[in-house]
Structure formats: C-alpha cells, structure tokens
Amino acid sequence: MKKNITRFILMACAFVFSIALVLSCALFWPMPKLALPVKYRYVFIKSINIVDVVSGKTLNKRDILIRGNTISKIDTSGNLKIPLNALVVNGSNKFLIPGLWDMHTHSNQFSEWLHHPLYIANGVTGIRDMSGQLGRDDSYWVGSQERLGWNSEILENKRISPRYVLQSSYQIDGRFSVPDGYPSFFKLQQIEDVDSLLQFYSQAKVDFIKVYNRIPAKSYEKLLSKAPKYGMHIAGHKPAEVSLKKAIVLGQKSFEHGRLFLNESSQDTIVSLLQLMNTNNTYWVPTLQTLKFEASAHIPAFTNNPNLRYITWIQRALWWAPDVNANRKRNLSKDGKGLSTIFYNTAKKHIKIADSIGVRIMSGTDVSDSYIFPGFSLHKELQDLRSCGMSSLSALQAATINPAKFIGNDSLYGSINSGKIADMIILTKNPLDNIENTKNVFGVLFNGLYYDAKKLEELKAFTTNASSSFHINVKLFFSLFNSPLIRVQWAD
C-alpha cells in the first residue's frame, strides 16, 4: 500500500513538474520575427488609374514618382522620367486609392504578431486606438508610450505596423473601471479629479480622453471644458447621465457605435440631433460590425468564418465563445428573437439619415471584439456603410479623407496628391464601381516600402502561424489573467 501511494505521489509530482516545464518553456520561447520589404529610394508606379476620393473622379493612366515615403510627382503616363535603380510597379488596369483607416481599434501587447500584419495585408495603414493604461504598464493593454514607440520604429523601417494616429487614454468609466491600488482621480468621482487626470495624460502624450457610459455628469462636463487647455479632446461613448444633445453642444469630438440614437424618442429628434452634429463638426464612428455580430451570432454561416484561423484559440475560448453563446441564446429566445437584428437595421437607417444631412462618418471596427478581424472587417464595414444607402464614394471617404480631416492632417494624408505621404493601395478593380473592390488588394505602399502580392500573403501566413502557436497562446493566457484592467472588465 505504501509503495502504491509513493508511486502515485512521484507520478503526480512528475506530471506537475512536466506541466510547469512546458509552460515555462512556452513563456520564454522567443517570439517570431517578420522581415520588412526591401527599401528603395524611389518607387515608380507606371500607368495606373488614380481614384480621387475628394471629387469622386478616376484619373486614368497616370505615372507616380515616390521618393522616400512622399509622393513626389504625378503626371500623365509617359511624361515622367524613371530614376535610376527605382522600383518600377506596373499599374496597368489597376486602381490606386489612399491607405484605409480604422478609427476604432483596441490594440494589445500581442498586436505586433496578431493585428499589425493583417492590417497592412488589407491596406489599413492608419488606425485610431481606443485603449490605454492607468498609470502603469499593463500585461495586456498597450498605452501611448508603446504606440508612439511603434510609430517611431515605422519611420525607421524597423517595424511592420500601421500608423497609430492620436493617442488615447484608458476608458474613463467612473469608479467601476478602476482596479484597487490605482490613483483615485481616474474614477473622476469628484470634479477636482479632472485636472489631475488631464495632467497625467498630458504628460503621457495622450491626445484625447476616451469616455464611457458611467462617468459622472459633472465630471464629464468639467472634462470637456478643461481638456482643450491641455491640448486634448473627448471621444467615445455618450455618458448615461448626459443627454446626447448636451454632449454634442459641450463639444465631444466623436461618438462611437451604432446604438447612439436607439434611445431617442422620435425620428424628428434624431434628425435634429444629426443636424446639430453636422453644425458642430461632430464625427460618428458606427462600428456596424459589432451590431452585425450580435444579430448573427446564431447563424452558422456567420460564425464559421474562415478568418478564425487568424485568432488565437485562447481568445476564442475565453472571450469570443461566451459572447457567441450569450448572443445566440438571446437571438433564439422567445423574448429576444429578432431584437438584435432590429437594432442593427435601425442603426443602418440612422446612418443613411446622417449621411444625407452631411454628418461626418468614419469607418471603425472595434478590433478586438468578437468576430472582428483586423483589416478584413474594415472592408466589411465599408460594404455595410454602402448598404445603408451611402454612395461608394462616401463609404470610401469614411476610411480616407474623413479620418485625415478628423486628426487635422489632411494636408499629408487621406488622398493622393503630390507632397502627401505615399500610403496607398493598389486594387485590381475600381471601388467607385463597387465598394467590395477595396478587398481586391494587389499591393500596398506604406512608408516608402512596397508590399507586393507575395509579401501580403506572407503577412497573412505569419499571423496564421502565430495565432495557432502554443507558446503565443500560453503567453496570451498569462497576459490576460495578470492584467488588473482585464480582470475588472470581465468582472463587470
């Protein structure tokens, strides 16, 4: 008997030791590296059709000379001289559009492997991240310092990543969003906390405060009045204690998600609010893909998405699967059946009205939410904007010139002109004919580098391998559970 007990204990110890050894190896296993394309001093695109996202015209058979990361010259094909040793790209029967922007994302410590390659592979060259940190490094979420570091490495051609335009705070959601042990001013329970919060994020080189639903009304009002003095603005959700009209008048610069008007009492009220948004130059990022997911979670054709190969099994199991199950259950229940579809279709009707009034709409997807795939979902978002009744041109503007104007830098980004940054996508078909053509990416020019079709496939394969690797899933698991911010979000 004693021998059996001893044998069992030894086997148990060996098993535990083996598991600990495997996990330790996974945690310390080196992360994969991705090589950048060859750098050329000049890139020459020959005889391509340029889509003017401002006028809606297509300029046929143009030659473009790119020096470094800047468009040097544009002229009718045959008029420009090709510099010695330039990379020549044949643009015959192809179409050139500005790089696309996703204006609502959530990046994390694993975005280098799981997000960035897919953004570039899909022609998404600029993103506005809506996440941040609370005064200390986090094991999962990234903050302004990481994103600014990525931007610097992009310019030095040391990193494959989209540009991170405008730096966000962490979501400010009152006392419920702040873990124990963090400075109390992040909770904004007192209006005296506003200056402390703004001073902290100003020193962190943050451009805007991302507000959420449960921020106290008085703190929110003080935040909007004080933020410009610190060189910041306010973006995010509409706080529950504040009317949408008041939030617009107070100067919130952008509102997120498609549910923005679902609690308004009448169509006339919605029209009046949209007119006010237009007058006040207020932007709207509907993120229709989040509502589409909620409406479609019970449909196998939707949930059996081939892009799941780009998502780690840890994220699918711990984050996405419970979300799918909850929405599926509601969609199939007696009381919830069809409700999410009504929300989705109602939001699309509101977008149509907003577009007709002239409200500035920007494309955004809400990566890393359930069934939001970096890069791929932005093309779906543009298609959904088109299905709302927006023209293909307006949908394209939502991902190009509108974001460039929002950040106040349309002199360098958002359209294709001499002197602008050469972040551009070569397509096989004209997106003005059909917005779905944005997904037919032939090549991507970004920061002076050309990603050809072979390189684009390499980027996708890289993330496929990364998402399925054991060591990255183990690292992600520990990253999630070691993050106080994630634990609070999940508990909430």
Side-chain angles (χ1 to χ4, degrees):
M1 183 67 176
K2 289 184 178 180
K3 289 183 178 180
N4 290 336
I5 293 174
T6 301
R7 186 182 301 112
F8 175 78
I9 292 173
L10 290 174
M11 290 176 63
C13 289
F15 176 76
V16 171
F17 176 78
S18 298
I19 294 297
L21 180 62
V22 169
L23 293 178
S24 297
C25 289
L27 289 171
F28 289 99
W29 198 267
M31 296 296 279
K33 300 291 184 181
L34 189 56
L36 279 78
V38 175
K39 172 72 174 178
Y40 291 84
R41 185 179 182 186
Y42 294 100
V43 177
F44 191 93
I45 307 176
K46 189 171 179 60
S47 192
I48 199 164
N49 304 306
I50 299 175
V51 176
D52 186 333
V53 297
V54 177
S55 69
K57 297 178 180 178
T58 301
L59 309 176
N60 296 320
K61 295 183 178 180
R62 295 299 199 270
D63 288 347
I64 303 179
L65 176 62
I66 300 163
R67 180 174 181 175
N69 67 349
T70 304
I71 300 172
S72 179
K73 296 178 182 178
I74 302 175
D75 207 338
T76 304
S77 185
N79 287 347
L80 295 181
K81 182 179 179 180
I82 302 176
L84 187 65
N85 297 324
L87 172 65
V88 179
V89 179
N90 184 3
S92 296
N93 300 316
K94 304 293 190 302
F95 296 84
L96 192 68
I97 65 171
L100 302 175
W101 296 39
D102 189 331
M103 294 299 281
H104 192 120
T105 69
H106 296 275
S107 297
N108 58 55
Q109 302 290 350
F110 297 87
S111 290
E112 176 178 348
W113 302 275
L114 303 177
H115 296 164
H116 296 169
L118 298 182
Y119 284 132
I120 299 301
N122 282 279
V124 178
T125 58
I127 61 176
R128 179 183 62 154
D129 215 42
M130 303 294 287
S131 305
Q133 297 173 347
L134 288 177
R136 66 184 70 162
D137 292 341
D138 189 71
S139 63
Y140 183 74
W141 293 121
V142 296
S144 56
Q145 298 309 305
E146 287 98 334
R147 294 188 296 253
L148 290 169
W150 292 343
N151 282 346
S152 296
E153 290 180 352
I154 290 170
L155 296 176
E156 297 169 0
N157 287 316
K158 294 180 179 179
R159 173 178 294 276
I160 294 177
S161 166
R163 302 182 197 281
Y164 278 79
V165 298
L166 302 180
Q167 303 307 317
S168 173
S169 71
Y170 185 67
Q171 62 186 46
I172 304 302
D173 196 25
R175 58 191 174 92
F176 302 99
S177 64
V178 181
D180 293 338
Y182 285 76
S184 61
F185 64 76
F186 286 117
K187 301 176 183 180
L188 286 189
Q189 292 304 290
Q190 308 292 331
I191 60 173
E192 291 79 15
D193 294 333
V194 169
D195 275 304
S196 297
L197 182 137
L198 290 171
Q199 185 175 6
F200 168 81
Y201 278 121
S202 176
Q203 292 173 351
K205 298 181 180 180
V206 158
D207 298 295
F208 68 96
I209 304 298
K210 194 257 181 93
V211 293
Y212 222 66
N213 304 328
R214 294 175 293 188
I215 181 174
K218 290 184 178 179
S219 296
Y220 173 75
E221 294 171 18
K222 184 74 173 290
L223 194 61
L224 279 158
S225 68
K226 284 277 191 174
K229 298 176 183 177
Y230 289 85
M232 286 182 268
H233 62 267
I234 309 302
H237 293 211
K238 181 195 78 65
E241 295 182 7
V242 180
S243 71
L244 180 55
K245 180 178 180 179
K246 188 170 187 178
I248 297 169
V249 171
L250 286 172
Q252 183 164 324
K253 191 171 181 179
S254 79
F255 291 93
E256 313 300 307
H257 307 308
R259 295 175 181 266
L260 187 59
F261 302 97
L262 293 183
N263 292 325
E264 301 303 331
S265 58
S266 68
Q267 185 85 342
D268 289 343
T269 301
I270 293 170
V271 170
S272 176
L273 289 168
L274 286 167
Q275 289 171 337
L276 184 62
M277 288 179 70
N278 184 42
T279 300
N280 284 32
N281 197 31
T282 307
Y283 286 70
W284 184 20
V285 187
T287 65
L288 279 170
Q289 300 315 293
T290 57
L291 291 177
K292 178 186 276 188
F293 160 72
E294 293 174 1
S296 308
H298 63 295
I299 303 173
F302 179 87
T303 55
N304 296 331
N305 193 309
N307 289 329
L308 284 170
R309 65 181 179 270
Y310 300 115
I311 308 301
T312 60
W313 45 266
I314 283 294
Q315 185 170 2
R316 279 184 273 165
L318 297 182
W319 195 320
W320 289 22
D323 208 7
V324 170
N325 292 335
N327 281 282
R328 179 192 294 121
K329 184 178 180 179
R330 182 178 65 247
N331 293 347
L332 296 177
S333 69
K334 181 179 179 181
D335 294 333
K337 187 175 182 179
L339 191 60
S340 293
T341 301
I342 291 173
F343 288 159
Y344 173 55
N345 289 330
T346 301
K348 293 177 73 174
K349 292 177 182 177
H350 294 162
I351 291 170
K352 181 178 181 179
I353 299 170
D355 179 60
S356 68
I357 289 173
V359 173
R360 296 147 189 86
I361 293 172
M362 297 190 294
S363 59
T365 61
D366 217 354
V367 173
S368 307
D369 256 17
S370 298
Y371 276 76
I372 307 299
F373 302 96
F376 296 96
S377 289
L378 188 71
H379 296 289
K380 292 292 186 183
E381 185 74 7
L382 298 185
Q383 293 167 31
D384 274 11
L385 292 178
R386 178 71 182 91
S387 71
C388 293
M390 293 175 63
S391 66
S392 291
L393 175 61
S394 293
L396 199 56
Q397 289 172 337
T400 54
I401 193 65
N402 289 0
K405 289 181 177 179
F406 178 83
I407 71 167
N409 211 354
D410 54 313
S411 62
L412 289 178
Y413 300 101
S415 60
I416 299 172
N417 302 97
S418 296
K420 287 198 169 188
I421 300 299
D423 294 348
M424 302 181 292
I425 314 170
I426 299 176
L427 304 174
T428 58
K429 296 180 181 179
N430 193 340
L432 295 179
D433 296 336
N434 186 339
I435 196 62
E436 289 192 23
N437 290 336
T438 61
K439 67 182 182 181
N440 298 319
V441 180
F442 178 81
V444 174
L445 289 118
F446 178 64
N447 197 48
L449 302 179
Y450 179 58
Y451 295 78
D452 60 16
K454 181 179 179 181
K455 190 64 178 181
L456 298 180
E457 290 304 314
E458 181 186 333
L459 297 181
K460 297 174 187 177
F462 178 87
T463 295
T464 300
N465 293 332
S467 65
S468 62
S469 71
F470 177 74
H471 74 95
I472 287 182
N473 277 273
V474 170
K475 290 182 176 78
L476 178 59
F477 176 84
F478 281 95
S479 169
L480 287 165
F481 279 91
N482 284 329
S483 167
L485 304 181
I486 284 291
R487 292 199 297 270
V488 165
Q489 288 180 31
W490 283 359
D492 193 28

